[in-house]
Amino acid sequence: MNTMVVKSGRVPFANAVEETCLLVWRGGRYTCRILIPDGGSMSEPLFIIGGSIHALHSWPRLEQRLADRQMMVFLEPPGVGDSDAVPGGLTWEYLTGAAINALEALGIARCNLLGTSAGAPTAYRVAQQAPERVARLLLLGASPRLCPEANETLLSVERLVGQLSNAPVGGKGSRQAKEQARALVNIFLASSTAATPVTRQVVARALARRVVALPGHVLGNFVNYNRTLLIGRDLMPAQKIRGVRTLVLTGQKDRVTPPSDGRKVAAMIDGSVFMSVRAAGHMVHNEREAEFADVVTRFLTDDSLDGLSYCGPPESLAARQSEDAAAVLDATRSSTSSLRSATEGTEDSSSSSMTTP
């Protein structure tokens, strides 16, 4: 449970310092990045577990809005981003252990935990297994089990990523590669972001440039994560969370993890609140950056979430009994079991070349 600082310095855009640390969990090396404001933190450290393609620097807009006043920890778990592949293969239990190990190694007794997209199942399990370590839990783009459309979306994304990975030298800069990357990110964006200062086209271009610039092994980790943990599989355990203040947030126009999925997750957590962000898809933190930073700040400081013009009203969903929570997971199981079998049994040349050994 040791940690080693491999990089440190000042944050160029804020009155804060940053450190990048190397950690090890059961033979797998991984990293985290910490921002520490000079004037202290307005709340417990914000510990962020991102999705299957998020890395240490995937949250620039949130950093710029919060780094002056909130300690932030960005986790890049084993098997994600630039971190090592997991010895023995990825499991939710392994990723949960790696996250708790990071908290212990960094000396963080209690944190605010943000789990987004594919990182939400890990964050859920951390709060469930170690509730004493979690002051507040924020889940963004969470689902108990992806719907068939979302599974098909991930398979489409995988094919696009495979084409990018197999592009010849210099091919990533081609018009075709850029169009493929744009098609990839468009899946995750709302059809309109007119309510935001940044247009949908600008967001799509910026995200597409990031995808094109990703190294092959990072894209390989992304595909492996999706195939191993997401496509056609249960994402959340049947056991519910108790004793942790929780907000479940979803883009109103999210096609990957729609609001109905967010409500199912919220129903599994005692005393949780569900909200949907207007004019946003799956990439809420990019599509409505100012509003996302505002709701995060309000949640971390226990400020009111009522009457926000950019969100639907808070919904308090009474947690169901354990057997009802299990029933929620069973509701979509039959419709995706065949897809899981097909996914495990058929790998085209692009996807097999992408899978991390």
Side-chain angles (χ1 to χ4, degrees):
M1 294 194 299
N2 294 325
T3 179
M4 179 175 64
V5 177
V6 294
K7 181 180 178 182
S8 62
R10 297 290 303 177
V11 178
F13 52 82
N15 294 319
V17 298
E18 67 175 314
E19 293 182 347
T20 301
C21 300
L22 177 66
L23 305 99
V24 178
W25 174 243
R26 294 183 181 175
R29 296 184 305 168
Y30 61 113
T31 53
C32 65
R33 179 167 161 261
I34 312 165
L35 303 186
I36 308 171
D38 296 342
S41 186
M42 64 182 175
S43 184
E44 291 88 349
L46 179 60
F47 189 85
I48 300 177
I49 305 175
S52 54
I53 206 166
H54 283 128
L56 296 181
H57 296 273
S58 294
W59 301 83
R61 294 181 175 89
L62 189 64
E63 290 182 31
Q64 290 168 7
R65 294 181 182 276
L66 296 186
D68 275 324
R69 51 202 171 102
Q70 176 63 47
M71 181 175 174
M72 307 172 75
V73 181
F74 304 91
L75 182 69
E76 191 172 284
V80 175
D82 203 37
S83 291
D84 287 353
V86 174
L90 279 172
T91 65
W92 291 122
E93 290 69 25
Y94 184 92
L95 292 172
T96 302
I100 295 174
N101 173 69
L103 291 172
E104 294 177 350
L106 297 173
I108 299 175
R110 193 167 165 83
C111 72
N112 296 302
L113 184 56
L114 168 58
T116 71
S117 190
T122 299
Y124 185 103
R125 287 170 170 80
V126 171
Q128 179 196 70
Q129 296 177 23
E132 72 283 355
R133 288 190 172 274
V134 183
R136 298 167 190 83
L137 174 65
L138 174 54
L139 299 176
L140 174 63
S143 173
R145 184 178 176 92
L146 297 180
C147 63
E149 291 80 9
N151 286 306
E152 292 292 349
T153 293
L154 285 180
L155 291 174
S156 298
V157 169
E158 180 178 322
R159 288 190 288 270
L160 289 168
V161 169
Q163 292 168 5
L164 286 174
S165 177
N166 293 329
V169 176
K172 278 192 172 187
S174 70
R175 179 177 178 180
Q176 182 182 15
K178 292 177 181 178
E179 289 176 351
Q180 290 167 348
R182 185 79 61 84
L184 187 159
V185 301
N186 278 340
I187 294 171
F188 296 95
L189 299 177
S191 58
S192 172
T193 57
T196 69
V198 182
T199 66
R200 183 183 191 279
Q201 292 76 17
V202 172
V203 172
R205 282 198 297 269
L207 292 174
R209 283 196 297 268
R210 290 187 205 171
V211 171
V212 169
L214 289 173
H217 70 281
V218 173
L219 294 173
N221 275 345
F222 171 62
V223 169
N224 186 57
Y225 193 111
N226 291 342
R227 277 192 170 258
T228 303
L229 296 177
L230 301 183
I231 298 176
R233 301 174 188 271
D234 293 333
L235 306 184
M236 303 294 182
Q239 298 78 16
K240 59 187 178 182
I241 295 174
R242 292 183 173 89
V244 178
R245 186 183 179 204
T246 303
L247 172 63
V248 179
L249 200 65
T250 304
Q252 192 179 58
K253 299 182 179 181
D254 190 340
R255 293 175 289 169
V256 180
T257 55
S260 58
D261 283 4
R263 289 186 176 94
K264 291 176 184 178
V265 173
M268 299 166 63
I269 304 171
D270 278 340
S272 66
V273 171
F274 171 82
M275 297 180 73
S276 60
V277 182
R278 295 190 173 100
H282 193 65
M283 308 290 286
V284 173
H285 58 292
N286 283 300
E287 295 172 89
R288 306 213 61 174
E289 56 183 85
E291 292 82 358
F292 179 68
D294 180 57
V295 75
V296 168
T297 300
R298 288 173 177 272
F299 184 61
L300 297 191
T301 57
D302 299 326
D303 199 356
S304 174
L305 298 174
D306 294 322
L308 302 181
S309 61
Y310 56 84
C311 279
E315 302 175 28
S316 297
L317 303 174
R320 301 169 180 174
Q321 299 299 320
S322 296
E323 56 268 24
D324 293 329
V328 169
L329 298 179
D330 289 338
T332 54
R333 183 174 284 115
S334 60
S335 63
T336 56
S337 58
S338 59
L339 176 60
R340 174 179 172 181
S341 299
T343 300
E344 291 176 340
T346 58
E347 282 194 52
D348 58 25
S349 58
S350 63
S351 62
S352 60
S353 66
M354 292 294 300
T355 303
T356 304

